[in-house]
Amino acid sequence: MRITALETVRSEVQPNVCQVLVHTSDELHGLGETFWGAEAVEAYLHESVAPVLLGLEDPAPERVAGLLAPYVGFGGSGAETRGNGAVDIALWDLLGKRAGLPVTALLGGPAQESLRVYNTCAGTGYIRDEGRQSSANWGLPEESDRYEDLEAFLHRPGELTRSLLDEGITAMKVWPFDSAAERTGGLHVSPADIRQGMKVLEEIRGAAGDRMDILVELHGLWSVKAAVEILTALEDIEPFWVEDPLRPDGIDGYRSLRARTSVPIATGETLAGRRAFKPLLESGAIDVALIDISWTGGLTEARKVAALADTYGVAVAPHDCTGPVSFATTVQFIASQPNGLIAETVRAFHHSWYGLMAEGLPVPVDGWVAPTTAPGLGVALRTEHLEAAGTTRRTSRSTAGG
């Protein structure tokens, strides 16, 4: 088997998604995906990765990961790492198809037959129109509908909570302090800001009691002083975790937080690889390591991060507020990991654009999701998505015959 083509797919449905198809001489293909800066990733893949991959015989993921290790960009989750991550995912999908096994089995699992999910309370247009994580890119609609969960948590948190419970979802993630961080640069949080954010969380707790676990996202926007004040206020609602109170590379800051609060802390989604996670894990300051599989370099690297975290007695939970292929990858991965804690899902995405792009996705039911048993990732891009007028496809091909 030889790699004959590398194809990228971008769509106006979600411009931040870049999907990758690795085609082979035996007429199979592997499917991967990454998120953020899709055009930059596309350019990198065709300029730098295609010359390495095309014509390569029997492309084992571990071998290719070594070949694609970038000379620059290796220290973070930039375009090189994200592009390599998407290719690595595609190679695992391809390996599963050749073996007739799901990726979970290739990774040694399942360690878990079914996974609890939490709902990230985004809406259908979340992080779509700009390449920034900010309120300007929240995609809030003029009119709400059933699954516009971001608008709902901001204005109707109790109603949203009851809606999720009705679907069997018992964990939800919200970010009610972000607007305050944008006003102050994260350097200061006023008592009024804390009260406003706490009002959302208290309404959730009031609607659900102990039936709902609350995950509070802070998006790495805060100074240590402000983060301590927020986490102290959060102690009374007993959050499942507080996510990214600081940037994940702020190791000393996390040590300071751990010394001053008992609230569970989760972070790491923007870190790339085990070398970036190691000092964070060594600090003893976090309870959950968040891994974005494509941003960390793919399944090949993600499994090493998970094993490293397990060495420190730390659970892992993949970041997955991204695309449909990434969701399928996350479920396959976390089911294979003994320290896999919980799976992220966005019901707004499942009920809108995920289904326009892909088929064969695992489906959350009653707050749980199981990996599919089809070979590879078990997911395929829809023909309608590939042929849509708003889809951009670019292919680099091998010049060799066969």
Side-chain angles (χ1 to χ4, degrees):
M1 184 193 72
R2 181 172 29 71
I3 294 179
T4 58
L6 175 68
E7 181 180 4
T8 53
V9 180
R10 294 187 291 108
S11 171
E12 64 182 15
V13 170
Q14 177 34 286
N16 273 317
V17 166
C18 181
Q19 292 155 340
V20 177
L21 296 162
V22 177
H23 298 272
T24 68
S25 56
D26 53 1
E27 298 185 348
L28 291 174
H29 70 266
L31 174 62
E33 183 182 83
T34 193
F35 188 85
W36 216 276
E39 289 186 70
V41 171
E42 175 190 71
Y44 164 73
L45 288 171
H46 290 284
E47 176 185 320
S48 300
V49 173
V52 177
L53 286 186
L54 295 177
L56 194 65
E57 300 279 353
D58 296 323
E62 191 73 56
R63 176 189 175 206
V64 173
L67 292 174
L68 296 182
Y71 183 66
V72 296
F74 59 86
S77 52
E80 297 95 345
T81 299
R82 298 197 306 279
N84 291 352
V87 168
D88 182 82
I89 291 166
L91 294 180
W92 279 96
D93 182 44
L94 181 62
L95 187 62
K97 289 172 178 174
R98 294 184 71 194
L101 293 170
V103 166
T104 294
L106 298 181
L107 293 172
Q112 306 177 62
E113 298 292 342
S114 187
L115 311 165
R116 187 185 180 202
V117 304
Y118 70 87
N119 183 64
T120 288
C121 296
T124 58
Y126 184 64
I127 308 297
R128 180 190 184 280
D129 295 325
E130 301 180 33
R132 296 187 298 148
Q133 172 55 267
S134 72
S135 59
N137 203 10
W138 283 358
L140 290 170
E142 293 184 5
E143 295 184 7
S144 183
D145 66 24
R146 180 178 177 184
Y147 298 113
E148 286 296 333
D149 291 345
L150 201 161
E151 184 274 337
F153 94 67
L154 289 172
H155 303 294
R156 297 172 286 110
E159 178 184 328
L160 170 63
T161 302
R162 290 185 287 271
S163 170
L164 293 170
L165 288 172
D166 286 345
E167 293 187 14
I169 297 170
T170 58
M172 60 190 290
K173 184 163 73 180
V174 296
W175 43 104
F177 297 98
D178 279 26
S179 295
E182 291 183 5
R183 287 197 307 273
T184 68
L187 299 175
H188 172 68
V189 59
S190 71
D193 291 330
I194 290 179
R195 285 194 298 272
Q196 181 63 34
M198 290 302 299
K199 180 181 178 183
V200 169
L201 304 173
E202 288 163 356
E203 287 193 29
I204 293 171
R205 183 61 75 218
D210 293 334
R211 293 180 297 158
M212 179 66 73
D213 281 322
I214 304 173
L215 293 70
V216 182
E217 169 71 86
L218 296 181
H219 284 131
L221 297 173
W222 295 98
S223 67
V224 172
K225 177 181 180 296
V228 168
E229 293 170 0
I230 294 171
L231 268 62
T232 299
L234 291 173
E235 290 176 356
D236 287 343
I237 68 148
E238 298 180 335
F240 187 78
W241 74 46
V242 176
E243 183 169 331
D244 290 344
L246 312 170
R247 285 172 48 116
D249 55 358
I251 309 300
D252 291 337
Y254 276 99
R255 289 194 186 97
S256 180
L257 283 184
R258 171 53 72 228
R260 299 161 73 178
T261 180
S262 61
V263 171
I265 295 172
T267 194
E269 70 187 49
T270 54
L271 295 179
R274 59 199 184 278
R275 293 174 181 85
F277 275 90
K278 187 173 186 292
L280 187 63
L281 292 164
E282 285 178 335
S283 74
I286 67 168
D287 301 280
V288 183
L290 304 179
I291 309 170
D292 185 295
I293 295 172
S294 76
W295 293 358
T296 211
L299 284 162
T300 299
E301 189 65 27
R303 63 177 181 164
K304 296 172 184 176
V305 175
L308 180 64
D310 197 32
T311 303
Y312 288 91
V314 172
V316 296
H319 167 249
D320 191 29
C321 184
T322 55
V325 181
S326 296
F327 178 71
T329 303
T330 287
V331 175
Q332 293 281 346
F333 171 73
I334 195 171
S336 73
Q337 301 304 308
N339 58 334
L341 177 61
I342 195 168
E344 180 173 13
T345 188
V346 185
R347 70 171 183 172
F349 295 174
H350 281 274
H351 289 280
S352 58
W353 58 274
Y354 272 14
L356 299 177
M357 286 186 169
E359 57 188 351
L361 291 168
V363 179
V365 178
D366 294 330
W368 294 79
V369 67
T372 63
T373 57
L377 297 176
V379 64
L381 298 182
R382 290 189 179 277
T383 301
E384 298 89 342
H385 164 55
L386 293 171
E387 296 179 353
T391 295
T392 300
R393 300 169 68 178
R394 179 179 172 185
T395 304
S396 294
R397 300 185 185 278
S398 172
T399 57

